[in-house]
Amino acid sequence: MALLKYTALNLYFRSYIGSFTFASIKQKISSSDGPPAPPELARWVGRLVTVSARYVPHSTCLSRAMAAQFVLKRKGYGSTVCIGVANGDGPDAMLAHAWLISGDSVVVGNENNELEKFKLLTQMKGRGR
């Protein structure tokens, strides 16, 4: 049952990203204050979001971060969406990546230890409920 709910959340946020401007996406993200999630809860949410994203066509790192943030916010925990950049293949190529942190835990976005190559560009921290 949880996998179905998380798949629906991933689908919702993937559709949201495709339908709205970055300004409205940023506003939706910037609303998750609260204490950090316990590390075991952060890992559990991250696993469910990551596994359920496999069933969502064109799921992105940002949609996964938004889905995980939504779950943690509903449980009363704060989190921060981080966006970073890295050099891609080719002289003018740049890669962007989003991940979610809660306290010291990376909730989603570091499943393949990819964060070490990204330089933090911005953090979208909560502004209150």
Side-chain angles (χ1 to χ4, degrees), residues 2-69:
L3 186 60
L4 184 59
K5 286 196 281 190
Y6 280 70
T7 303
L9 279 173
N10 267 304
L11 184 58
Y12 170 78
F13 285 110
R14 178 62 194 117
S15 299
Y16 190 91
I17 290 169
S19 302
F20 292 93
T21 65
F22 183 72
S24 65
I25 291 169
K26 186 175 178 182
Q27 185 175 25
K28 189 159 193 79
I29 289 171
S30 300
S31 60
S32 186
D33 265 346
E40 58 277 356
L41 176 65
R43 280 191 300 276
W44 181 78
V45 168
R47 274 193 300 260
L48 277 173
V49 167
T50 300
V51 169
S52 64
R54 295 177 189 155
Y55 302 102
V56 177
H58 310 292
S59 175
T60 66
C61 53
L62 182 57
S63 63
R64 291 188 297 274
M66 291 174 73
Q69 185 180 55

